[in-house]
């Protein structure tokens, strides 16, 4: 057996969505902060993301996280988030997967009933509190980065769809929230391709006419997520289909998307601090969110969200690159 590269990873899924937690083979990525590491990775090391996320080692909705030494003295690990759509500043389902893997593999000191893990992410400090019973990670509650509203009840002209009302919020990534009724589609997985096509068209229209820009995180200046809200959703229970660039759906309820949705509801005065909010994915899995504090981001009113969900370890693997492999960065199909 010949191998040009070898990566070790622990695979997991968070309420249906995969996270391949890369524990070895990458080395220490240059950068004084995790966001600097993210930007360096995007420019110089993106072939590793493509190799691990694309077919044949991954698939069209693959997601992962690369463990790194923390760049902060107050954190246990650094995390770089990768998926088929790119290298994210934050990923909620991925962080739940990382925290579960760290406990299940003993890569952190495990304390019962709660193991607290401080994670250095490109978006900032994220605290994971893992509920542990008999050494097993039962659930994870994330204290996410501050989330805020960019705009409420705006309208974007989308070719083929006309004027589409939407709101935009940040929860670790930027999310456009659109009522499914606004594009004339039902909350039905049999119509997923039509929903996805609409989502990609909306992303393109926003990015071409009014792209967002985070006031503090360099390189975060686009929308790659459209959260289509199902009819009947409210500030207690919301159901959605999360369309993601370049063309797939989140299987989980989406942690950063849940944070953005709570920020939007808070901005409308519909969700108060301390109230539980249940967010349901396109496959019926759920996260429970809660807003615990008010703050600011670059002078913008913001909130601190928590998200609770579950993850399960699904495998341990070593991923190889043979020098004769005709697909050294995999392929998309």
């Amino acid at each position: 057996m010949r191998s040009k590269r070898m990566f070790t990873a622990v695979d997991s899924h968070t309420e249906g969505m995969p996270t391949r937690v890369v524990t070895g083979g990458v080395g220490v990525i240059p950068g004084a902060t995790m966001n600097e590491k993210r930007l360096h990775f995007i420019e110089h090391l993106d072939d590793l993301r493509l190799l691990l996320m694309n077919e044949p080692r991954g698939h069209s909705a693959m997601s992962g996280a690369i463990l790194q030494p923390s760049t902060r003295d107050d954190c246990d690990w650094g995390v770089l988030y990768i998926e088929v759509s790119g290298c994210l500043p934050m990923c909620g389902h991925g962080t739940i997967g990382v925290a579960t893997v760290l406990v299940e593999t003993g890569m952190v000191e495990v304390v019962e009933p709660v193991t607290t893990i401080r994670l250095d992410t490109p978006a900032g400090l994220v605290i994971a509190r893992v509920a542990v019973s008999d050494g097993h990670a039962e659930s994870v509650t994330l204290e996410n980065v501050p989330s805020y509203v960019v705009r409420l009840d705006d309208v974007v002209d989308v070719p083929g769809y006309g004027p589409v009302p939407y709101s935009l919020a940040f929860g670790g990534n930027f999310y456009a929230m659109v009522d499914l009724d606004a594009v004339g589609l039902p909350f039905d997985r049999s119509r997923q391709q039509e929903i996805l096509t609409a989502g990609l068209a909306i992303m393109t229209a926003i990015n071409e006419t009014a792209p967002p820009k985070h006031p503090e995180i360099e390189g975060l200046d686009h929308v790659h997520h459209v959260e289509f809200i199902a009819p009947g959703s409210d500030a207690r229970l919301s159901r959605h289909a999360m369309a993601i660039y370049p063309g797939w759906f989140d299987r989980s309820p989406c942690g950063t998307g849940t944070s953005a949705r709570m920020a939007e509801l808070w901005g409308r005065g519909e969700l108060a601090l301390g109230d539980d909010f249940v967010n349901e994915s396109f496959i019926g899995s759920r996260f429970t969110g809660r807003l615990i504090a008010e703050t600011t981001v670059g002078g913008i009113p913001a909130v601190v969200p928590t998200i609770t969900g579950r993850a399960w370890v699904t495998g341990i693997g070593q991923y190889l690159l043979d020098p004769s492999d005709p697909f050294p960065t995999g392929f998309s199909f």
Side-chain angles (χ1 to χ4, degrees):
M1 179 182 72
R2 296 182 303 165
S3 181
K4 184 178 178 181
R5 298 294 301 264
M6 182 174 76
F7 304 92
T8 58
V10 181
D11 285 359
S12 65
H13 81 82
T14 303
E15 304 291 355
M17 186 67 195
T19 308
R20 175 165 291 159
V21 182
V22 181
T23 58
V26 174
V28 177
I29 299 166
T33 68
M34 284 308 300
N35 197 50
E36 287 185 11
K37 290 179 182 290
R38 169 180 167 265
L39 296 174
H40 178 91
F41 188 95
I42 290 170
E43 184 174 357
H44 301 288
L45 299 171
D46 201 48
D47 282 359
L48 303 185
R49 176 185 66 86
L50 298 171
L51 173 72
L52 292 166
M53 298 291 100
N54 281 347
E55 294 185 58
R57 296 163 189 82
H59 52 76
S60 60
M62 192 63 192
S63 183
I66 299 172
L67 294 181
Q68 288 284 290
S70 174
T71 65
R72 303 167 51 130
D73 293 336
D74 62 348
C75 287
D76 302 295
W77 285 93
V79 188
L80 191 69
Y81 302 98
I82 56 175
E83 60 180 33
V84 291
S85 63
C87 193
L88 304 181
M90 173 54 190
C91 177
H93 95 266
T95 306
I96 291 172
V98 165
T100 298
V101 165
L102 290 174
V103 167
E104 295 286 348
T105 59
M107 294 179 70
V108 293
E109 182 181 357
V110 178
V111 178
E112 297 190 22
V114 176
T115 298
T116 299
I117 308 170
R118 296 172 65 88
L119 297 170
D120 182 10
T121 82
L125 170 66
V126 175
I127 302 173
R129 297 180 175 92
V130 186
V132 182
S133 177
D134 294 328
H136 175 62
E138 301 286 342
S139 66
V140 181
T141 297
L142 301 181
E143 184 176 326
N144 196 14
V145 297
S147 303
Y148 65 92
V149 173
V150 178
R151 56 188 79 121
L152 290 176
D153 301 321
D154 205 343
V155 177
V156 62
D157 189 51
V158 183
Y161 298 88
V164 176
Y166 76 101
S167 295
L168 190 68
F170 175 82
N173 299 284
F174 286 112
Y175 290 83
M177 278 150 285
V178 177
D179 288 338
L180 263 171
D181 287 345
V183 291
L185 291 168
F187 188 66
D188 186 338
R189 282 165 60 187
S190 70
R191 307 288 293 276
Q192 60 183 279
Q193 189 55 54
E194 294 165 85
I195 296 171
L196 186 59
T197 299
L200 294 173
I202 292 168
M203 291 175 215
T204 299
I206 294 172
N207 288 329
E208 288 181 349
T209 61
K213 182 175 177 60
H214 195 280
E216 298 176 348
I217 303 174
E218 182 184 354
L220 187 51
D221 54 6
H222 56 265
V223 179
H224 278 174
H225 301 76
V226 174
E227 190 166 349
F228 282 109
I229 310 300
S233 296
D234 56 28
R236 293 179 300 276
L237 171 62
S238 184
R239 299 184 302 152
H240 69 277
M242 184 67 75
I244 306 176
Y245 174 88
W248 52 286
F249 287 101
D250 199 330
R251 276 68 169 155
S252 83
C254 189
T256 52
T258 297
S259 298
R261 175 74 164 135
M262 288 193 291
E264 181 223 4
L265 292 168
W266 173 78
R268 295 184 184 281
E270 297 177 11
L271 183 64
L273 298 185
D275 288 351
D276 282 351
F277 168 72
V278 177
N279 208 19
E280 184 176 301
S281 75
F282 211 9
I283 68 169
S285 55
R286 292 181 171 187
F287 286 159
T288 299
R290 181 180 293 179
L291 302 177
I292 60 171
E294 295 182 5
T295 185
T296 60
V297 175
I300 303 168
V303 282
V304 178
T306 66
I307 308 101
T308 300
R310 303 168 298 169
W312 296 265
V313 173
T314 57
I316 298 175
Q318 293 180 314
Y319 298 93
L320 309 177
L321 174 59
D322 188 296
S324 65
D325 191 332
F327 304 110
T329 58
F331 58 88
S332 57
F333 193 81

